Amino acid sequence: MSKVELDLSNRTLVHICCSVDSHHFLTQLQKTYPDKKFCGYFYNPNIHPYDEYLMRLKDVQRSCEMLDIPLIVGEYDLQDWLEGSKGLEEEPEKGERCSFCFDYRLSSSVKVAKEYRCSEFTTTLLASPMKSQQELFAQGEAIAKKEGLGFLPIDVRGNGGTKVQNELAKEANLYRQNYCGCLYALKKQREKSNKLPFELISTLSLPKDSRNLPTLRLKNFKTRETLEKEQKPYYFAKRKVLQYRLLKGILTQEGKSIPSFICSYSMLHKPTKARIELWQDGIGYASKEGILFLEFSYFQEILQKNSFEELLKEGLGEEIQLKLRMQIYAEGFFISPIVILKEQIFGEFSLEIQAISQEESLEDFIRI
């Protein structure tokens, strides 16, 4: 747990789940109780995957800095949370799993409140429309009473509170997540939208900082951080983006696998046997499915890699991969497999590609 050096005695400890809820919640607390002092406590081991947890934590830290509220960061004890939630995986939202999750986080919150000699505690979960407010009131009061502390109940949803919350989040350019936090809620919410949980799926072809949605968001939000540090104005935009996930890619010849890099948006409906019919200008043309092979040395300047081995190890940025596709064929966005090789091969080969694509919404920060 990160230690806060300030004297937090007699403050109200506020358990924080995310910036969208906390920014409005803390603002309302400051307005409603001008004589009280507050400190935040970010404790959410339910959030999965870890990069999503980091994304939300960074946004909460930014929000608390804006509101001049000290923040305590709890442990990310995911394994303990998973152990405690066993048997509750299929529970619906607002069901028994959520009750367990409330108690788990609120029990930690009250212990931390006592450790820092706070007089009472509360939780921004009260602001979430995904949670039962009355249940949270009851659970919070019961836990507080057991530990000899006060619980501060406050309704920030009523009288258009949710609308105000959304307006504040937009005004502050906060990260607005599209699921509660745990992997069980994520899967169920994605199922309702007939989508796969892309937050949990990484691709093989991109660098580590953009292989799944949470890592990509962390990377994108660094732009916001840089612009704000430089005090540069910016516009917060939302993009609808086709996300590609390469799950498996195998190139073989005469029963032996050949090291290869399969570019994003390469699609193949089934394992395919074909032969290379022509090599020209570093490109090998195959007899089926429009499959193309690229000789690494010929395209090294575009790829911006020192070696083929470096390409395999580090992956290749999406911008470069798209540029490569457009350079090869600019008459439309084509999805034929593009396979990069260290050196030319000849004759027959087998290629298997397992990949999925899905529309996602991503954040973008445009310097004005």
Side-chain angles (χ1 to χ4, degrees):
M1 180 186 297
S2 66
K3 288 292 183 180
V4 176
E5 300 301 328
L6 295 173
D7 180 11
L8 303 180
S9 58
N10 296 319
R11 289 187 181 236
T12 301
L13 182 137
V14 183
H15 165 257
I16 293 176
C17 57
C18 67
S19 62
V20 172
D21 288 348
S22 69
H23 203 72
H24 174 235
F25 192 88
L26 292 169
T27 301
Q28 289 301 111
L29 282 177
Q30 289 175 326
K31 288 181 179 178
T32 307
Y33 303 100
D35 296 329
K36 288 181 180 287
K37 292 185 177 181
F38 304 94
C39 67
Y41 176 48
F42 186 83
Y43 180 65
N44 302 284
N46 58 306
I47 297 175
H48 194 80
Y50 182 65
D51 288 309
E52 177 71 22
Y53 170 86
L54 286 180
M55 181 67 247
R56 300 191 194 189
L57 170 58
K58 287 180 178 294
D59 223 43
V60 166
Q61 289 171 327
R62 174 177 174 270
S63 170
C64 285
E65 287 177 7
M66 293 170 71
L67 299 173
D68 195 26
I69 290 177
L71 179 68
I72 304 166
V73 180
E75 299 293 333
Y76 184 65
D77 48 355
L78 173 64
Q79 290 305 316
D80 287 342
W81 188 92
L82 290 173
E83 283 293 323
S85 63
K86 279 186 177 180
L88 304 174
E89 295 88 348
E90 299 302 319
E91 284 291 309
E93 196 81 9
K94 299 184 181 181
E96 289 185 30
R97 186 182 66 249
C98 288
S99 294
F100 153 75
C101 192
F102 298 159
D103 287 346
Y104 190 94
R105 288 181 282 172
L106 295 186
S107 294
S108 174
S109 299
V110 75
K111 289 177 183 177
V112 171
K114 290 182 69 175
E115 178 185 347
Y116 281 90
R117 300 187 301 280
C118 296
S119 58
E120 60 185 2
F121 83 104
T122 188
T123 175
T124 62
L125 289 168
L126 292 169
S128 173
M130 299 299 291
K131 311 303 175 192
S132 168
Q133 193 173 66
Q134 293 306 314
E135 182 180 359
L136 281 168
F137 282 160
Q139 286 176 285
E141 289 173 1
I143 291 171
K145 185 177 180 181
K146 183 178 178 181
E147 297 292 338
L149 278 181
F151 179 75
L152 182 62
I154 180 172
D155 180 9
V156 298
R157 298 189 209 172
N159 299 316
T162 301
K163 181 181 178 182
V164 174
Q165 173 179 310
N166 291 332
E167 290 172 350
L168 279 175
K170 186 175 182 180
E171 182 181 316
N173 293 326
L174 299 176
Y175 167 51
R176 304 180 68 175
Q177 67 273 6
N178 60 3
Y179 68 103
C180 176
C182 77
L183 73 165
Y184 310 123
L186 168 60
K187 290 177 180 179
K188 287 188 176 295
Q189 289 175 32
R190 285 299 207 168
E191 285 173 4
K192 287 182 180 179
S193 302
N194 295 316
K195 286 189 172 183
L196 294 169
F198 260 39
E199 289 82 357
L200 304 177
I201 304 173
S202 295
T203 188
L204 298 174
S205 57
L206 295 175
K208 288 182 179 180
D209 65 0
S210 52
R211 283 183 179 172
N212 57 41
L213 290 180
T215 57
L216 183 55
R217 287 195 168 102
L218 275 169
K219 179 182 176 182
N220 290 350
F221 271 86
K222 284 181 181 178
T223 303
R224 181 191 67 180
E225 182 180 336
T226 300
L227 290 170
E228 290 180 347
K229 281 183 178 179
E230 296 175 352
Q231 297 184 328
K232 302 289 186 182
Y234 63 86
Y235 176 72
F236 185 11
K238 284 278 191 177
R239 309 285 197 188
K240 282 193 174 182
V241 180
L242 182 65
Q243 285 278 288
Y244 172 89
R245 295 290 179 267
L246 176 64
L247 306 178
K248 180 181 180 181
I250 301 176
L251 172 67
T252 58
Q253 194 171 48
E254 297 180 351
K256 296 180 180 180
S257 62
I258 300 174
S260 57
F261 182 89
I262 298 173
C263 291
S264 291
Y265 304 102
S266 295
M267 304 299 290
L268 206 56
H269 297 300
K270 61 181 180 179
T272 299
K273 291 183 178 181
R275 68 181 181 279
I276 297 173
E277 297 184 317
L278 171 70
W279 277 98
Q280 181 174 311
D281 297 330
I283 301 177
Y285 296 85
S287 59
K288 293 182 181 179
E289 302 293 336
I291 299 169
L292 299 180
F293 293 96
L294 308 186
E295 187 176 2
F296 174 79
S297 59
Y298 199 94
F299 291 89
Q300 187 171 0
E301 184 176 345
I302 297 176
L303 299 175
Q304 300 176 24
K305 296 295 180 182
N306 294 319
S307 66
F308 179 72
E309 289 72 23
E310 183 181 291
L311 171 65
L312 295 183
K313 181 179 179 180
E314 297 181 358
L316 191 62
E318 194 81 277
E319 181 180 352
I320 296 177
Q321 296 199 49
L322 291 173
K323 180 181 178 181
L324 188 61
R325 279 191 174 273
M326 289 298 294
Q327 178 169 320
I328 292 171
Y329 184 77
E331 301 303 318
F333 187 72
F334 77 111
I335 57 174
S336 295
I338 295 179
V339 183
I340 303 175
L341 302 174
K342 186 173 184 177
E343 54 191 22
Q344 295 181 10
I345 63 172
F346 299 88
E348 295 184 346
F349 65 88
S350 294
L351 179 62
E352 180 180 358
I353 295 176
Q354 293 181 14
I356 50 177
S357 296
Q358 183 169 283
E359 180 189 290
E360 293 292 344
S361 180
L362 288 172
E363 299 80 6
D364 191 16
F365 300 91
I366 303 167
R367 186 190 296 258
I368 299 174

